Amino acid sequence: MIFWIGVFTILFISLILNFCIKDKYRKILFYGLFIFITVIGVFRNNIGADYYAYQEYFRVVTWKNIGFIEPSFIFFTYILKYLGLSTQALFAVYAILINLFIFLGLRYYCKDNYYIINNFFLFWCLYFIGWWNSLNLIRQILAVAIFFYYSRYLSENNFKKYSLGIICATCAHYSSIFLLFLYPLRKIRINLKYFITALLILMFLSSTGIIRDIIINIINALPFTVYKITAYVNNDTKVLQNVIGESGTGLGTLFYYTVFISAIILADKKNNNVNQFILLIAIGLILKTVFFMFLPLARLSIYFELFGFLLLANFQKKFFSTVFIIGLGLGMLIVSLHHIHQKPLLPKRDFQHNTNRNIDYKFTVDFLKRRF
């Protein structure tokens, strides 16, 4: 745990530093941070909730499993095995590709404004729903990063390139296919007054278990099994308020909504992409609220969280804005460290397969060590 305290402290200090230094030093800060987190991801060993599962997939997966696991994972596996590389090389490939697509998306949305780039990148790293998730949900976060880059074609009204990007993302994680349905919605403008009212109603219905019961009744009434989702459907399914640890306080959920609703309300209206970002964040919040207790569906919200970080990153450099941004960063640090600390303590029933809850970081170089 000491390792992670050190890492997140460095990130938080960098967030404060970004407000104080000159532009020419912000570029150095960004590339230093980019290399720093990439190295941590590439050389990690035995870290990540799905680490053991991916080791096993790497050992046994073939093209016959393409309905079970995405073609990009199988492709990487075959190439790395052919080169005589180990499972650590697989995690390294994902870490590099995820960071690369995040970087390419940033270059498009933020141009060369390293004040904004650093703010975004540090939010992505400080809040566990971003970079920490990329150490665990490697297939889906790669799909998220690909979507982040190709989302530019929503505002550019280029369906051909957008659909190509979604196909690439779907090859990384099958859940991405639903993103095709965003294209007809791209020009919708969110009325904040009505949206926040509707969201509060949904939060109430979710926290009381009403939405959960409705979904369970609908799924149980279907004449067929819904892949993966039915594994999570039972009367013990957690409702919205239980998010930090076992029988949580609800503060983690409250903070999540504070972050993304703040991003929407305080968005810089001069940003040409702000309406698209607000729409995507709104969709993510609705998915998170309605399907909070059904992990396969709730995880669809992950595709939209980066756009909240973009809006936060664009806050103006005024005193109260600066204090607010730093306050959010501190909140992210606290929530993330709590989340990481709790990971080994979670009951075994919270995991759907044999998986790893280790958080003790070990820097390892064994790319050439055969494990198959």
Side-chain angles (χ1 to χ4, degrees):
M1 190 64 194
I2 292 176
F3 174 82
W4 298 112
I5 292 173
V7 168
F8 281 86
T9 300
I10 290 172
L11 296 171
F12 181 67
I13 291 173
S14 298
L15 181 66
I16 298 174
L17 191 62
N18 188 49
F19 289 94
C20 305
I21 59 179
K22 297 180 179 179
D23 286 338
K24 62 179 180 180
Y25 298 120
R26 289 193 176 107
K27 185 174 183 179
I28 297 173
L29 177 64
F30 169 73
Y31 283 103
L33 291 169
F34 186 83
I35 294 170
F36 176 61
I37 69 147
T38 302
V39 167
I40 291 175
V42 166
F43 294 101
R44 82 186 193 274
N45 185 295
N46 201 24
I47 292 290
D50 293 337
Y51 200 92
Y52 288 163
Y54 282 127
Q55 283 184 323
E56 183 63 15
Y57 294 161
F58 185 84
R59 187 179 69 84
V60 302
V61 74
T62 67
W63 287 110
K64 294 180 181 179
N65 305 118
I66 200 166
F68 165 71
I69 200 162
E70 292 79 9
S72 62
F73 185 93
I74 300 175
F75 175 76
F76 294 148
T77 297
Y78 269 87
I79 293 296
L80 294 174
K81 282 185 175 182
Y82 177 78
L83 296 174
L85 298 175
S86 72
T87 50
Q88 189 178 7
L90 177 70
F91 292 105
V93 167
Y94 273 91
I96 291 169
L97 288 176
I98 289 167
N99 291 342
L100 176 62
F101 277 104
I102 294 292
F103 171 76
L104 292 174
L106 278 177
R107 288 295 300 270
Y108 173 77
Y109 283 119
C110 305
K111 310 308 177 187
D112 290 322
N113 188 329
Y114 283 93
Y115 167 77
I116 296 176
I117 288 174
N118 285 340
N119 277 345
F120 171 93
F121 197 71
L122 286 162
F123 285 139
W124 155 259
C125 292
L126 277 168
Y127 206 176
F128 73 87
I129 62 175
W131 173 61
W132 171 261
N133 264 351
S134 77
L135 303 178
N136 297 283
L137 313 174
I138 59 174
R139 287 150 48 222
Q140 186 170 7
I141 300 300
L142 176 57
V144 168
I146 293 171
F147 170 63
F148 179 62
Y149 172 68
Y150 278 95
S151 63
R152 60 192 291 182
Y153 297 114
L154 283 173
S155 58
E156 293 179 7
N157 298 316
N158 191 327
F159 179 72
K160 184 180 294 186
K161 290 186 178 179
Y162 177 73
S163 58
L164 175 62
I166 300 308
I167 290 171
C168 292
T170 303
C171 288
H173 199 269
Y174 287 137
S175 65
S176 305
I177 192 65
F178 94 99
L179 296 169
L180 280 174
F181 296 103
L182 293 181
Y183 194 81
L185 307 177
R186 67 192 184 282
K187 293 185 179 180
I188 293 177
R189 289 179 175 262
I190 298 295
N191 184 305
L192 295 184
K193 180 175 64 175
Y194 295 129
F195 168 71
I196 293 176
T197 301
L199 185 64
L200 289 174
I201 294 172
L202 288 174
M203 290 172 65
F204 171 77
L205 295 176
S206 183
S207 65
T208 55
I210 294 174
I211 292 179
R212 174 196 62 190
D213 294 340
I214 292 173
I215 293 175
I216 288 175
N217 290 333
I218 291 173
I219 292 179
N220 288 341
L222 294 175
F224 53 86
T225 299
V226 182
Y227 174 63
K228 279 192 176 183
I229 296 176
T230 50
Y232 296 85
V233 177
N234 57 70
N235 291 329
D236 295 325
T237 303
K238 295 177 182 178
V239 292
L240 185 61
Q241 71 269 22
N242 294 327
V243 69
I244 297 187
E246 184 69 3
S247 298
T249 63
L251 293 177
T253 300
L254 179 61
F255 181 74
Y256 182 92
Y257 283 97
T258 298
V259 169
F260 291 103
I261 292 176
S262 296
I264 291 175
I265 293 175
L266 302 175
D268 179 10
K269 301 303 187 292
K270 296 178 182 178
N271 189 321
N272 294 329
N273 296 303
V274 69
N275 290 315
Q276 177 183 306
F277 294 163
I278 290 175
L279 172 65
L280 295 175
I281 297 165
I283 291 172
L285 286 172
I286 291 171
L287 289 171
K288 185 82 166 181
T289 305
V290 173
F291 300 117
F292 189 88
M293 66 297 294
F294 302 110
L295 187 59
L297 295 176
R299 274 173 45 175
L300 296 177
S301 64
I302 295 174
Y303 288 99
F304 307 103
E305 291 163 349
L306 292 181
F307 301 99
F309 297 154
L310 273 176
L311 288 187
L312 291 175
N314 276 278
F315 274 13
Q316 298 298 312
K317 290 181 283 186
K318 298 177 182 178
F319 177 76
F320 291 108
S321 297
T322 301
V323 170
F324 181 73
I325 288 290
I326 292 175
L328 284 183
L330 179 60
M332 291 175 184
L333 179 147
I334 294 170
V335 171
S336 296
L337 288 178
H338 181 85
H339 173 83
I340 294 169
H341 175 70
Q342 288 291 108
K343 189 64 79 173
L345 306 177
L346 292 174
K348 189 175 182 180
R349 64 179 174 79
D350 284 357
F351 294 88
Q352 299 302 312
H353 51 68
N354 181 26
T355 191
N356 175 38
R357 289 175 280 174
N358 174 58
I359 61 171
D360 295 325
Y361 188 88
K362 181 181 178 183
F363 186 92
T364 307
V365 182
D366 65 350
F367 296 107
L368 298 177
K369 186 177 181 180
R370 290 179 176 270
R371 293 184 177 179
F372 46 87

mmCIF file with all atom_site columns, all heavy atoms in Angstrom, residues 123-138:
data_model
loop_
_atom_site.group_PDB
_atom_site.id
_atom_site.type_symbol
_atom_site.label_atom_id
_atom_site.label_alt_id
_atom_site.label_comp_id
_atom_site.label_asym_id
_atom_site.label_entity_id
_atom_site.label_seq_id
_atom_site.pdbx_PDB_ins_code
_atom_site.Cartn_x
_atom_site.Cartn_y
_atom_site.Cartn_z
_atom_site.occupancy
_atom_site.B_iso_or_equiv
_atom_site.pdbx_formal_charge
_atom_site.auth_seq_id
_atom_site.auth_comp_id
_atom_site.auth_asym_id
_atom_site.auth_atom_id
_atom_site.pdbx_PDB_model_num
ATOM 1   N N   . PHE A 1 123 ? -6.410  13.883 -13.654 1.00 0.00 ? 123 PHE A N   1
ATOM 2   C CA  . PHE A 1 123 ? -7.710  13.359 -13.238 1.00 0.00 ? 123 PHE A CA  1
ATOM 3   C C   . PHE A 1 123 ? -7.823  11.882 -13.616 1.00 0.00 ? 123 PHE A C   1
ATOM 4   O O   . PHE A 1 123 ? -8.296  11.056 -12.829 1.00 0.00 ? 123 PHE A O   1
ATOM 5   C CB  . PHE A 1 123 ? -8.853  14.150 -13.872 1.00 0.00 ? 123 PHE A CB  1
ATOM 6   C CG  . PHE A 1 123 ? -9.074  15.496 -13.257 1.00 0.00 ? 123 PHE A CG  1
ATOM 7   C CD1 . PHE A 1 123 ? -9.346  16.596 -14.043 1.00 0.00 ? 123 PHE A CD1 1
ATOM 8   C CD2 . PHE A 1 123 ? -9.022  15.669 -11.882 1.00 0.00 ? 123 PHE A CD2 1
ATOM 9   C CE1 . PHE A 1 123 ? -9.562  17.841 -13.477 1.00 0.00 ? 123 PHE A CE1 1
ATOM 10  C CE2 . PHE A 1 123 ? -9.239  16.906 -11.301 1.00 0.00 ? 123 PHE A CE2 1
ATOM 11  C CZ  . PHE A 1 123 ? -9.503  17.997 -12.106 1.00 0.00 ? 123 PHE A CZ  1
ATOM 12  N N   . TRP A 1 124 ? -7.409  11.560 -14.823 1.00 0.00 ? 124 TRP A N   1
ATOM 13  C CA  . TRP A 1 124 ? -7.426  10.175 -15.312 1.00 0.00 ? 124 TRP A CA  1
ATOM 14  C C   . TRP A 1 124 ? -6.600  9.268  -14.405 1.00 0.00 ? 124 TRP A C   1
ATOM 15  O O   . TRP A 1 124 ? -6.981  8.126  -14.126 1.00 0.00 ? 124 TRP A O   1
ATOM 16  C CB  . TRP A 1 124 ? -6.902  10.158 -16.747 1.00 0.00 ? 124 TRP A CB  1
ATOM 17  C CG  . TRP A 1 124 ? -6.294  8.874  -17.237 1.00 0.00 ? 124 TRP A CG  1
ATOM 18  C CD1 . TRP A 1 124 ? -4.972  8.580  -17.344 1.00 0.00 ? 124 TRP A CD1 1
ATOM 19  C CD2 . TRP A 1 124 ? -6.988  7.718  -17.739 1.00 0.00 ? 124 TRP A CD2 1
ATOM 20  N NE1 . TRP A 1 124 ? -4.797  7.324  -17.868 1.00 0.00 ? 124 TRP A NE1 1
ATOM 21  C CE2 . TRP A 1 124 ? -6.017  6.780  -18.115 1.00 0.00 ? 124 TRP A CE2 1
ATOM 22  C CE3 . TRP A 1 124 ? -8.329  7.399  -17.904 1.00 0.00 ? 124 TRP A CE3 1
ATOM 23  C CZ2 . TRP A 1 124 ? -6.335  5.530  -18.641 1.00 0.00 ? 124 TRP A CZ2 1
ATOM 24  C CZ3 . TRP A 1 124 ? -8.649  6.149  -18.429 1.00 0.00 ? 124 TRP A CZ3 1
ATOM 25  C CH2 . TRP A 1 124 ? -7.676  5.237  -18.790 1.00 0.00 ? 124 TRP A CH2 1
ATOM 26  N N   . CYS A 1 125 ? -5.487  9.776  -13.903 1.00 0.00 ? 125 CYS A N   1
ATOM 27  C CA  . CYS A 1 125 ? -4.607  8.964  -13.057 1.00 0.00 ? 125 CYS A CA  1
ATOM 28  C C   . CYS A 1 125 ? -5.037  8.955  -11.595 1.00 0.00 ? 125 CYS A C   1
ATOM 29  O O   . CYS A 1 125 ? -4.894  7.936  -10.907 1.00 0.00 ? 125 CYS A O   1
ATOM 30  C CB  . CYS A 1 125 ? -3.171  9.486  -13.149 1.00 0.00 ? 125 CYS A CB  1
ATOM 31  S SG  . CYS A 1 125 ? -2.397  9.255  -14.757 1.00 0.00 ? 125 CYS A SG  1
ATOM 32  N N   . LEU A 1 126 ? -5.551  10.080 -11.094 1.00 0.00 ? 126 LEU A N   1
ATOM 33  C CA  . LEU A 1 126 ? -5.876  10.180 -9.672  1.00 0.00 ? 126 LEU A CA  1
ATOM 34  C C   . LEU A 1 126 ? -7.145  9.413  -9.296  1.00 0.00 ? 126 LEU A C   1
ATOM 35  O O   . LEU A 1 126 ? -7.245  8.895  -8.180  1.00 0.00 ? 126 LEU A O   1
ATOM 36  C CB  . LEU A 1 126 ? -6.055  11.652 -9.270  1.00 0.00 ? 126 LEU A CB  1
ATOM 37  C CG  . LEU A 1 126 ? -4.784  12.435 -8.957  1.00 0.00 ? 126 LEU A CG  1
ATOM 38  C CD1 . LEU A 1 126 ? -5.080  13.925 -8.860  1.00 0.00 ? 126 LEU A CD1 1
ATOM 39  C CD2 . LEU A 1 126 ? -4.151  11.947 -7.647  1.00 0.00 ? 126 LEU A CD2 1
ATOM 40  N N   . TYR A 1 127 ? -8.110  9.355  -10.206 1.00 0.00 ? 127 TYR A N   1
ATOM 41  C CA  . TYR A 1 127 ? -9.379  8.704  -9.904  1.00 0.00 ? 127 TYR A CA  1
ATOM 42  C C   . TYR A 1 127 ? -9.286  7.255  -10.363 1.00 0.00 ? 127 TYR A C   1
ATOM 43  O O   . TYR A 1 127 ? -9.035  6.981  -11.530 1.00 0.00 ? 127 TYR A O   1
ATOM 44  C CB  . TYR A 1 127 ? -10.513 9.430  -10.622 1.00 0.00 ? 127 TYR A CB  1
ATOM 45  C CG  . TYR A 1 127 ? -11.873 9.304  -9.966  1.00 0.00 ? 127 TYR A CG  1
ATOM 46  C CD1 . TYR A 1 127 ? -12.961 9.987  -10.481 1.00 0.00 ? 127 TYR A CD1 1
ATOM 47  C CD2 . TYR A 1 127 ? -12.084 8.509  -8.842  1.00 0.00 ? 127 TYR A CD2 1
ATOM 48  C CE1 . TYR A 1 127 ? -14.215 9.912  -9.897  1.00 0.00 ? 127 TYR A CE1 1
ATOM 49  C CE2 . TYR A 1 127 ? -13.321 8.428  -8.249  1.00 0.00 ? 127 TYR A CE2 1
ATOM 50  C CZ  . TYR A 1 127 ? -14.388 9.124  -8.779  1.00 0.00 ? 127 TYR A CZ  1
ATOM 51  O OH  . TYR A 1 127 ? -15.628 9.036  -8.196  1.00 0.00 ? 127 TYR A OH  1
ATOM 52  N N   . PHE A 1 128 ? -9.547  6.301  -9.479  1.00 0.00 ? 128 PHE A N   1
ATOM 53  C CA  . PHE A 1 128 ? -9.321  4.894  -9.803  1.00 0.00 ? 128 PHE A CA  1
ATOM 54  C C   . PHE A 1 128 ? -10.167 4.405  -10.974 1.00 0.00 ? 128 PHE A C   1
ATOM 55  O O   . PHE A 1 128 ? -9.851  3.387  -11.587 1.00 0.00 ? 128 PHE A O   1
ATOM 56  C CB  . PHE A 1 128 ? -9.581  4.017  -8.570  1.00 0.00 ? 128 PHE A CB  1
ATOM 57  C CG  . PHE A 1 128 ? -11.030 3.856  -8.210  1.00 0.00 ? 128 PHE A CG  1
ATOM 58  C CD1 . PHE A 1 128 ? -11.806 2.851  -8.779  1.00 0.00 ? 128 PHE A CD1 1
ATOM 59  C CD2 . PHE A 1 128 ? -11.633 4.706  -7.298  1.00 0.00 ? 128 PHE A CD2 1
ATOM 60  C CE1 . PHE A 1 128 ? -13.138 2.701  -8.457  1.00 0.00 ? 128 PHE A CE1 1
ATOM 61  C CE2 . PHE A 1 128 ? -12.968 4.557  -6.962  1.00 0.00 ? 128 PHE A CE2 1
ATOM 62  C CZ  . PHE A 1 128 ? -13.731 3.556  -7.540  1.00 0.00 ? 128 PHE A CZ  1
ATOM 63  N N   . ILE A 1 129 ? -11.248 5.111  -11.310 1.00 0.00 ? 129 ILE A N   1
ATOM 64  C CA  . ILE A 1 129 ? -12.077 4.696  -12.437 1.00 0.00 ? 129 ILE A CA  1
ATOM 65  C C   . ILE A 1 129 ? -11.347 4.875  -13.766 1.00 0.00 ? 129 ILE A C   1
ATOM 66  O O   . ILE A 1 129 ? -11.826 4.418  -14.803 1.00 0.00 ? 129 ILE A O   1
ATOM 67  C CB  . ILE A 1 129 ? -13.406 5.470  -12.466 1.00 0.00 ? 129 ILE A CB  1
ATOM 68  C CG1 . ILE A 1 129 ? -13.154 6.961  -12.636 1.00 0.00 ? 129 ILE A CG1 1
ATOM 69  C CG2 . ILE A 1 129 ? -14.234 5.199  -11.223 1.00 0.00 ? 129 ILE A CG2 1
ATOM 70  C CD1 . ILE A 1 129 ? -14.418 7.790  -12.787 1.00 0.00 ? 129 ILE A CD1 1
ATOM 71  N N   . GLY A 1 130 ? -10.199 5.525  -13.743 1.00 0.00 ? 130 GLY A N   1
ATOM 72  C CA  . GLY A 1 130 ? -9.411  5.734  -14.959 1.00 0.00 ? 130 GLY A CA  1
ATOM 73  C C   . GLY A 1 130 ? -8.203  4.830  -15.037 1.00 0.00 ? 130 GLY A C   1
ATOM 74  O O   . GLY A 1 130 ? -8.309  3.645  -15.379 1.00 0.00 ? 130 GLY A O   1
ATOM 75  N N   . TRP A 1 131 ? -7.033  5.368  -14.710 1.00 0.00 ? 131 TRP A N   1
ATOM 76  C CA  . TRP A 1 131 ? -5.788  4.638  -14.899 1.00 0.00 ? 131 TRP A CA  1
ATOM 77  C C   . TRP A 1 131 ? -5.735  3.351  -14.082 1.00 0.00 ? 131 TRP A C   1
ATOM 78  O O   . TRP A 1 131 ? -5.278  2.311  -14.576 1.00 0.00 ? 131 TRP A O   1
ATOM 79  C CB  . TRP A 1 131 ? -4.614  5.552  -14.546 1.00 0.00 ? 131 TRP A CB  1
ATOM 80  C CG  . TRP A 1 131 ? -3.302  4.858  -14.551 1.00 0.00 ? 131 TRP A CG  1
ATOM 81  C CD1 . TRP A 1 131 ? -2.706  4.230  -15.605 1.00 0.00 ? 131 TRP A CD1 1
ATOM 82  C CD2 . TRP A 1 131 ? -2.406  4.705  -13.440 1.00 0.00 ? 131 TRP A CD2 1
ATOM 83  N NE1 . TRP A 1 131 ? -1.498  3.706  -15.233 1.00 0.00 ? 131 TRP A NE1 1
ATOM 84  C CE2 . TRP A 1 131 ? -1.293  3.977  -13.909 1.00 0.00 ? 131 TRP A CE2 1
ATOM 85  C CE3 . TRP A 1 131 ? -2.437  5.120  -12.109 1.00 0.00 ? 131 TRP A CE3 1
ATOM 86  C CZ2 . TRP A 1 131 ? -0.219  3.660  -13.084 1.00 0.00 ? 131 TRP A CZ2 1
ATOM 87  C CZ3 . TRP A 1 131 ? -1.370  4.801  -11.288 1.00 0.00 ? 131 TRP A CZ3 1
ATOM 88  C CH2 . TRP A 1 131 ? -0.280  4.081  -11.771 1.00 0.00 ? 131 TRP A CH2 1
ATOM 89  N N   . TRP A 1 132 ? -6.202  3.375  -12.828 1.00 0.00 ? 132 TRP A N   1
ATOM 90  C CA  . TRP A 1 132 ? -6.185  2.152  -12.022 1.00 0.00 ? 132 TRP A CA  1
ATOM 91  C C   . TRP A 1 132 ? -7.030  1.060  -12.680 1.00 0.00 ? 132 TRP A C   1
ATOM 92  O O   . TRP A 1 132 ? -6.637  -0.113 -12.722 1.00 0.00 ? 132 TRP A O   1
ATOM 93  C CB  . TRP A 1 132 ? -6.676  2.437  -10.600 1.00 0.00 ? 132 TRP A CB  1
ATOM 94  C CG  . TRP A 1 132 ? -6.894  1.190  -9.793  1.00 0.00 ? 132 TRP A CG  1
ATOM 95  C CD1 . TRP A 1 132 ? -8.066  0.542  -9.559  1.00 0.00 ? 132 TRP A CD1 1
ATOM 96  C CD2 . TRP A 1 132 ? -5.883  0.407  -9.122  1.00 0.00 ? 132 TRP A CD2 1
ATOM 97  N NE1 . TRP A 1 132 ? -7.865  -0.580 -8.789  1.00 0.00 ? 132 TRP A NE1 1
ATOM 98  C CE2 . TRP A 1 132 ? -6.539  -0.684 -8.505  1.00 0.00 ? 132 TRP A CE2 1
ATOM 99  C CE3 . TRP A 1 132 ? -4.497  0.541  -8.980  1.00 0.00 ? 132 TRP A CE3 1
ATOM 100 C CZ2 . TRP A 1 132 ? -5.855  -1.648 -7.760  1.00 0.00 ? 132 TRP A CZ2 1
ATOM 101 C CZ3 . TRP A 1 132 ? -3.818  -0.413 -8.237  1.00 0.00 ? 132 TRP A CZ3 1
ATOM 102 C CH2 . TRP A 1 132 ? -4.488  -1.495 -7.633  1.00 0.00 ? 132 TRP A CH2 1
ATOM 103 N N   . ASN A 1 133 ? -8.184  1.432  -13.228 1.00 0.00 ? 133 ASN A N   1
ATOM 104 C CA  . ASN A 1 133 ? -8.997  0.453  -13.952 1.00 0.00 ? 133 ASN A CA  1
ATOM 105 C C   . ASN A 1 133 ? -8.255  -0.110 -15.151 1.00 0.00 ? 133 ASN A C   1
ATOM 106 O O   . ASN A 1 133 ? -8.462  -1.267 -15.528 1.00 0.00 ? 133 ASN A O   1
ATOM 107 C CB  . ASN A 1 133 ? -10.311 1.091  -14.419 1.00 0.00 ? 133 ASN A CB  1
ATOM 108 C CG  . ASN A 1 133 ? -11.454 0.820  -13.455 1.00 0.00 ? 133 ASN A CG  1
ATOM 109 O OD1 . ASN A 1 133 ? -11.329 0.034  -12.519 1.00 0.00 ? 133 ASN A OD1 1
ATOM 110 N ND2 . ASN A 1 133 ? -12.577 1.482  -13.668 1.00 0.00 ? 133 ASN A ND2 1
ATOM 111 N N   . SER A 1 134 ? -7.395  0.700  -15.758 1.00 0.00 ? 134 SER A N   1
ATOM 112 C CA  . SER A 1 134 ? -6.661  0.227  -16.935 1.00 0.00 ? 134 SER A CA  1
ATOM 113 C C   . SER A 1 134 ? -5.658  -0.862 -16.584 1.00 0.00 ? 134 SER A C   1
ATOM 114 O O   . SER A 1 134 ? -5.161  -1.564 -17.468 1.00 0.00 ? 134 SER A O   1
ATOM 115 C CB  . SER A 1 134 ? -5.933  1.390  -17.621 1.00 0.00 ? 134 SER A CB  1
ATOM 116 O OG  . SER A 1 134 ? -4.752  1.760  -16.933 1.00 0.00 ? 134 SER A OG  1
ATOM 117 N N   . LEU A 1 135 ? -5.334  -1.016 -15.302 1.00 0.00 ? 135 LEU A N   1
ATOM 118 C CA  . LEU A 1 135 ? -4.469  -2.103 -14.862 1.00 0.00 ? 135 LEU A CA  1
ATOM 119 C C   . LEU A 1 135 ? -5.263  -3.383 -14.619 1.00 0.00 ? 135 LEU A C   1
ATOM 120 O O   . LEU A 1 135 ? -4.672  -4.452 -14.424 1.00 0.00 ? 135 LEU A O   1
ATOM 121 C CB  . LEU A 1 135 ? -3.736  -1.717 -13.567 1.00 0.00 ? 135 LEU A CB  1
ATOM 122 C CG  . LEU A 1 135 ? -2.881  -0.449 -13.612 1.00 0.00 ? 135 LEU A CG  1
ATOM 123 C CD1 . LEU A 1 135 ? -2.257  -0.175 -12.251 1.00 0.00 ? 135 LEU A CD1 1
ATOM 124 C CD2 . LEU A 1 135 ? -1.804  -0.553 -14.674 1.00 0.00 ? 135 LEU A CD2 1
ATOM 125 N N   . ASN A 1 136 ? -6.578  -3.268 -14.624 1.00 0.00 ? 136 ASN A N   1
ATOM 126 C CA  . ASN A 1 136 ? -7.447  -4.403 -14.324 1.00 0.00 ? 136 ASN A CA  1
ATOM 127 C C   . ASN A 1 136 ? -8.290  -4.804 -15.530 1.00 0.00 ? 136 ASN A C   1
ATOM 128 O O   . ASN A 1 136 ? -8.191  -5.922 -16.009 1.00 0.00 ? 136 ASN A O   1
ATOM 129 C CB  . ASN A 1 136 ? -8.374  -4.055 -13.151 1.00 0.00 ? 136 ASN A CB  1
ATOM 130 C CG  . ASN A 1 136 ? -7.629  -3.791 -11.868 1.00 0.00 ? 136 ASN A CG  1
ATOM 131 O OD1 . ASN A 1 136 ? -7.179  -4.707 -11.213 1.00 0.00 ? 136 ASN A OD1 1
ATOM 132 N ND2 . ASN A 1 136 ? -7.484  -2.523 -11.520 1.00 0.00 ? 136 ASN A ND2 1
ATOM 133 N N   . LEU A 1 137 ? -9.110  -3.875 -15.985 1.00 0.00 ? 137 LEU A N   1
ATOM 134 C CA  . LEU A 1 137 ? -10.046 -4.153 -17.084 1.00 0.00 ? 137 LEU A CA  1
ATOM 135 C C   . LEU A 1 137 ? -9.357  -3.883 -18.416 1.00 0.00 ? 137 LEU A C   1
ATOM 136 O O   . LEU A 1 137 ? -9.787  -3.041 -19.205 1.00 0.00 ? 137 LEU A O   1
ATOM 137 C CB  . LEU A 1 137 ? -11.290 -3.270 -16.938 1.00 0.00 ? 137 LEU A CB  1
ATOM 138 C CG  . LEU A 1 137 ? -11.913 -3.205 -15.535 1.00 0.00 ? 137 LEU A CG  1
ATOM 139 C CD1 . LEU A 1 137 ? -13.039 -2.172 -15.508 1.00 0.00 ? 137 LEU A CD1 1
ATOM 140 C CD2 . LEU A 1 137 ? -12.435 -4.568 -15.106 1.00 0.00 ? 137 LEU A CD2 1
ATOM 141 N N   . ILE A 1 138 ? -8.294  -4.607 -18.695 1.00 0.00 ? 138 ILE A N   1
ATOM 142 C CA  . ILE A 1 138 ? -7.408  -4.210 -19.791 1.00 0.00 ? 138 ILE A CA  1
ATOM 143 C C   . ILE A 1 138 ? -8.103  -4.235 -21.147 1.00 0.00 ? 138 ILE A C   1
ATOM 144 O O   . ILE A 1 138 ? -7.840  -3.376 -21.988 1.00 0.00 ? 138 ILE A O   1
ATOM 145 C CB  . ILE A 1 138 ? -6.122  -5.066 -19.827 1.00 0.00 ? 138 ILE A CB  1
ATOM 146 C CG1 . ILE A 1 138 ? -6.435  -6.554 -19.981 1.00 0.00 ? 138 ILE A CG1 1
ATOM 147 C CG2 . ILE A 1 138 ? -5.289  -4.826 -18.571 1.00 0.00 ? 138 ILE A CG2 1
ATOM 148 C CD1 . ILE A 1 138 ? -5.195  -7.425 -20.157 1.00 0.00 ? 138 ILE A CD1 1
#
